[in-house]
């Protein structure tokens, strides 16, 4: 069924479109002047020395795993509560994702449990700033420094978020942003690696472009590379979207504030909790969660009923360790990461984008309030002997 209020929607203005058309009218559709211009804009926004634009967030994460020299059997500590690409990037290089369960309040990796899974084979930590809420990077960087581990930030959902005033992506050895149309800003498809390390930037530039050398010719390949290039059409879109990003983030924060206002007293759901004093969120999605006395079946019923009212919604995420091929490769079972599973079974992502109107937010909130009020919590059912 087609939802009349979508779950997400990119916001493209006439300026954005004009920028892309300008490229189409010129003669540099790829590797032209928009690529370095976009990379400079990303550097300025994040305050990093280098940015390497790539054709997806996933490619960016893959190249960061290579730059961190992850290979056969190296362990990388990450979260099972994420979009699958974060852990897949480790598998691309035959590394082993070592999952740490989440903090059920923030939905980010529980930093207090990182140290206990470190082994002699651990090489890196890959924290994910889930739903745009930054991880407590100070503690992650401390553990990493004590054990000489590389930190690569998956900031694909969090461009613009900050910890202690510092933009996410700039805190570890490298960070990755993604620009798929459901993210805070888009280039159609696309991503960017940011780093202060010259060597990482040089290597990523070469891998992105078929292993070509810095000044080498088109047919000289210094190493095994990929085609992870981002076209100038996408870069033009990125330049103009990035210019508008502060405004778009403010609009998203306003939508989140309206949801909070309308939903904080709905006792069946938990809304996104307040942030730690040092953290600034970049709103990616607005995800509420049913209280623990409700079940996955209740949540699925809520999604179905929202959709029947033409409201786009989703269950973010299916835990990575329970995806079929992870279960097959590593023998994961339900119950392995209880906090992740408890949260994942109950999440409801509501329509969320910067142009969502006040009346749409009201309609969604009122619908959710009515639908969850009709649920029967499990403890009442069991009290009745059902
Ligand atoms: C979107 C996303 C990615 C990957 O982005 P693509 O551009 O779709 O490849 C990686 N990690 C997380 C957490 C994401 O949300």
């Amino acid at each position: 069924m087609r939802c009349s209020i979508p779950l997400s929607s990119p916001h493209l203005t006439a300026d954005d479109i004009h920028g892309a058309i300008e490229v189409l009218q010129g003669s540099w559709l790829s590797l032209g002047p928009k690529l370095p211009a976009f990379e400079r804009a990303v550097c300025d926004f994040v305050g990093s020395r280098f940015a390497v634009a790539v054709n997806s967030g996933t490619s960016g994460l893959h190249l960061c795993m290579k730059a961190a020299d992850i290979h056969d059997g190296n362990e990388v500590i990450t979260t099972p509560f994420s979009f699958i690409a974060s852990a897949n990037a480790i598998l691309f290089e035959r590394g082993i994702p070592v999952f740490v369960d989440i903090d059920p309040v923030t939905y980010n990796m529980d930093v207090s449990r990182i140290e206990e899974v470190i082994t002699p084979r651990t090489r890196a930590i890959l924290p994910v700033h889930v739903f745009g809420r930054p991880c407590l990077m100070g503690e992650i960087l401390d553990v990493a420094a004590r054990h000489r581990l590389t930190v690569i930030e998956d900031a694909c959902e969090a461009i613009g978020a900050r910890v202690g005033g510092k933009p996410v992506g700039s805190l570890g050895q490298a960070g990755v942003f993604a620009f798929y149309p459901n993210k805070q800003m888009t280039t159609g498809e696309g991503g960017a690696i940011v780093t202060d390390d010259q060597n990482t930037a040089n290597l990523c530039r070469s891998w992105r472009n078929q292993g070509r050398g810095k000044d080498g010719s088109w047919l000289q390949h210094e190493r095994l590379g990929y085609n992870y290039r981002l076209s100038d059409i996408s870069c033009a879109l990125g330049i103009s979207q990035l210019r508008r990003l502060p405004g778009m983030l403010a609009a998203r924060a306003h939508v989140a504030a309206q949801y909070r206002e309308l939903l904080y007293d709905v006792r069946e759901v938990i809304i996104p909790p307040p942030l730690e004093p040092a953290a600034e969120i970049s709103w990616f999605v607005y995800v509420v969660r049913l209280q623990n006395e409700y079940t996955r079946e209740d949540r699925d019923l809520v999604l179905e009923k929202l959709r029947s009212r033409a409201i786009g919604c989703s269950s973010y995420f299916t835990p990575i360790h329970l995806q079929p091929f992870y279960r097959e490769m590593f023998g994961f079972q339900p119950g392995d990461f209880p906090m992740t599973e408890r949260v994942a079974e109950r999440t409801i992502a509501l329509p969320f984008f910067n142009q969502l109107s006040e009346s749409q937010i009201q309609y969604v909130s009122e619908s959710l309030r009515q639908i969850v009020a009709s649920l029967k919590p499990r403890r009442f059912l069991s009290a009745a002997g059902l």
Side-chain angles (χ1 to χ4, degrees), residues 54-61 79 81-87 127-131 154-158 176-183 187-192 284 317 320:
V54 286
N55 61 358
S56 73
T58 307
S59 335
L61 289 167
T79 172
F81 189 69
S82 173
F83 181 62
I84 195 164
S86 53
V128 181
H129 305 293
V130 172
F131 303 155
D154 180 341
C156 288
E157 302 188 351
V176 180
F177 300 113
F179 308 125
Y180 187 72
N182 71 338
K183 311 284 182 182
T187 60
E189 293 280 0
F284 168 52
F317 301 100
I320 297 175

Side-chain angles (χ1 to χ4, degrees), residues 34-86:
K34 297 297 181 190
L35 174 64
F38 179 44
E39 292 180 337
R40 251 191 323 275
V42 172
C43 282
D44 290 346
F45 187 82
V46 180
S48 61
R49 282 182 68 201
F50 307 100
V52 181
V54 286
N55 61 358
S56 73
T58 307
S59 335
L61 289 167
H62 179 198
L63 296 188
C64 285
M65 288 299 105
K66 289 178 71 68
D69 196 26
I70 299 307
H71 57 270
D72 312 68
N74 290 169
E75 294 175 2
V76 180
I77 297 170
T78 190
T79 172
F81 189 69
S82 173
F83 181 62
I84 195 164
S86 53

